[in-house]
Amino acid sequence: MSADYADRLLSLPRYSELGNAAMKPGLRGVGHLLAAMGHPEQKFTSVHIAGTNGKGSTASMIAAIGQSAGYRIGLYTSPHLLHLSERIRLNGIPVPDTWMQGALDRYGSLFDRLQPSFFEALTALAFLFFAESSVDLAVVETGLGGRLDATNILRPKLSVISQIDLDHTQTLGNSLTSIAREKAGIIKDDTPVIAATGQAATQQVMQETASSQNAPWVEPGIATDTYLQTPLRTYDLHSYGLAGEHQTHNALLATRSAEILFPEARQDPLFILKGLERVCELTGLRARLEVFNKKPLAILDVAHNPAGIAAALNYMPRDGTVHLLLSLMKDKELTGVMRVLKGHSLQVYVCDLALQRAVPASDLARLLEEYAINVAGTGSVSAMWELALGRVIQQESILVCGSHFLAGAFLSAVHL
């Protein structure tokens, strides 16, 4: 990857380093930026996705279904695991370094003058890339929240909202309904909306917002382990690209969205089934209950809040201790995570990430011990992996989760 463009973008204020101090909530800044770039956001069709958990998976599934139906699909997600270019994809392929470098050469002086945040700048570049690449559809995931997120400048063809849970409470509010209201901010007037938020109260927020915006409400349907049932048809899930019960709900959202977005998918269910089966291959999605070792079983996941970590742990085998490599960010619901962990048989290996937002390993180890959760060691990601690998025995397993940043550091350290 070209160090020039990556270093320049990463030098802008970032939430991953500065937290709320890096945020520029509202659409004025990104609006000025996009106006000066010729309004690329108005030159392609989009679907906009918000939610606490599952929005990245849902976005990738929609993209994969579109690709399987023969469309040219742009995909914008965050954060990245290894390379900045992963966030902006065309038919699953990361944006070329040469394009990014050229775009920064063209608009570097504009960035210097307007001083956008990292996310504003990257969002504007993503929209420019999609416009210049003549995508048939851009699948765009919000960064944080929805109402004030830079991506909310879009006028999408469809708004999609996945599961709502407590996360970023200092920014979005400390109740599910307050967070839901922020996510519901992506709902636009006269634009269809589909939501599966997981709670009656949050679902009600979505329906009330849709009604006030005159946005047509789309019923998602029913998800089970073996089939998805939408108002159009029933899909038997013989083969499925993403593991975990929680992914069936994301698949339902993606399937119902695809029925609306792609005429071919409405006519032939095979496009949807192929997209769901090949989602990782088609979009480059990683670290969603990704099995990277079989003996012992070792799984990598980006779960980073109580609901996500609970889903990951519930997927692990129940007949032996789970050796958990863990790192958490300071702005997460730490108490909620501790309560989830306490309900499982664990040996926890606390990974030290060189990241200002991360809870220092010594502090996290102390918190785990306060909840009587076994701490097997603290240290670097590679050291904790070697330690866990040396201690795991038959019937036991290894799980690496707690943040996207840990997943990325692990992939880099273990060269996966």
Side-chain angles (χ1 to χ4, degrees):
M1 181 171 67
S2 169
D4 290 344
Y5 89 77
D7 290 347
R8 186 165 186 179
L9 286 171
L10 292 170
S11 70
L12 297 172
R14 283 185 293 156
Y15 188 85
S16 62
E17 292 292 344
L18 302 176
N20 288 351
M23 292 182 65
K24 294 187 176 181
L27 304 181
R28 174 177 289 186
V30 74
H32 287 161
L33 194 59
L34 289 165
M37 297 168 76
H39 284 296
E41 80 284 2
Q42 298 176 7
K43 298 176 182 176
F44 55 84
T45 303
S46 63
V47 54
H48 198 200
I49 303 171
T52 305
N53 290 324
K55 63 182 186 291
S57 296
T58 302
S60 295
M61 289 185 210
I62 294 172
I65 294 168
Q67 289 171 233
S68 73
Y71 287 94
R72 190 172 173 85
I73 303 293
L75 178 62
Y76 182 49
T77 58
S78 61
H80 60 278
L81 295 179
L82 293 173
H83 305 298
L84 187 61
S85 59
E86 295 169 18
R87 298 181 182 223
I88 306 170
R89 294 178 181 266
L90 176 62
N91 280 2
I93 300 172
V95 58
D97 295 339
T98 52
W99 187 94
M100 288 291 282
Q101 188 63 57
L104 268 184
D105 289 344
R106 279 185 283 164
Y107 292 105
S109 59
L110 177 67
F111 287 5
D112 291 341
R113 178 164 56 85
L114 295 182
Q115 292 292 298
S117 70
F118 164 78
F119 191 71
E120 286 176 328
L122 197 63
T123 297
L125 290 170
F127 293 171
L128 181 68
F129 179 65
F130 295 153
E132 293 187 352
S133 300
S134 301
V135 299
D136 296 313
L137 179 76
V139 185
V140 177
E141 174 193 6
T142 60
L144 192 155
R147 181 175 63 93
L148 300 176
D149 191 77
T151 60
N152 205 27
I153 199 82
L154 290 171
R155 298 290 301 180
K157 186 175 182 178
L158 176 69
S159 302
V160 181
I161 302 168
S162 64
Q163 183 183 351
I164 304 295
D165 196 33
L166 293 175
D167 203 0
H168 298 295
T169 53
Q170 294 177 337
T171 304
L172 303 179
N174 57 10
S175 71
L176 289 175
T177 52
S178 63
I179 292 173
R181 280 189 284 272
E182 289 297 316
K183 309 285 187 184
I186 72 164
I187 297 174
K188 305 292 195 306
D189 56 295
D190 300 317
T191 300
V193 57
I194 176 172
T197 61
Q199 302 279 344
T202 53
Q203 198 76 349
Q204 183 178 349
V205 169
M206 300 304 158
Q207 290 180 305
E208 290 174 350
T209 305
S211 178
S212 68
Q213 296 281 70
N214 199 31
W217 180 259
V218 180
E219 287 292 341
I222 299 170
T224 75
D225 290 341
T226 57
Y227 68 87
L228 306 175
Q229 185 176 355
T230 72
L232 180 63
R233 64 169 66 92
T234 298
Y235 300 84
D236 292 324
L237 298 177
H238 299 296
S239 181
Y240 192 47
L242 293 174
E245 182 181 347
H246 58 293
Q247 291 290 4
T248 61
H249 300 283
N250 299 330
L252 179 66
L253 271 178
T255 296
R256 191 70 181 111
S257 299
E259 290 176 348
I260 295 167
L261 295 165
F262 309 120
E264 293 83 357
R266 283 197 298 275
Q267 296 164 10
D268 188 346
L270 283 179
F271 290 119
I272 288 175
L273 294 173
K274 286 181 180 178
L276 295 178
E277 180 181 355
R278 300 176 59 207
V279 57
C280 295
E281 173 191 347
L282 289 173
T283 68
L285 185 67
R286 296 202 65 180
R288 269 64 175 185
L289 294 178
E290 179 179 341
V291 176
F292 63 89
N293 199 76
K294 293 187 176 179
K295 291 186 178 181
L297 176 66
I299 290 177
L300 177 66
D301 197 80
V302 295
H304 55 274
N305 54 40
I309 292 173
L313 283 169
N314 288 337
Y315 180 75
M316 303 301 290
R318 296 297 184 93
D319 54 354
T321 296
V322 174
H323 295 254
L324 174 65
L325 273 67
L326 180 71
S327 180
L328 298 169
M329 299 298 107
K330 295 174 184 174
D331 60 335
K332 300 304 175 183
E333 294 298 302
L334 300 181
T335 299
V337 172
M338 294 303 116
R339 289 173 180 156
V340 168
L341 299 182
K342 195 169 175 59
H344 294 265
S345 175
L346 302 174
Q347 290 289 328
V348 181
Y349 303 77
V350 182
C351 298
D352 197 6
L353 297 184
L355 190 67
Q356 188 173 337
R357 252 183 83 199
V359 179
S362 58
D363 292 350
L364 183 53
R366 194 177 308 115
L367 181 61
L368 288 160
E369 288 167 349
E370 287 176 8
Y371 280 81
I373 299 166
N374 297 320
V375 176
T378 63
S380 68
V381 174
S382 56
M384 292 302 95
W385 166 243
E386 292 297 331
L387 185 60
L389 202 56
R391 291 184 177 179
V392 66
I393 60 174
Q394 193 174 12
Q395 302 301 320
E396 296 183 341
S397 56
I398 300 173
L399 172 64
V400 183
C401 78
S403 79
H404 284 78
F405 305 102
L406 175 60
F410 185 82
L411 288 170
S412 180
V414 183
H415 305 294
L416 289 176

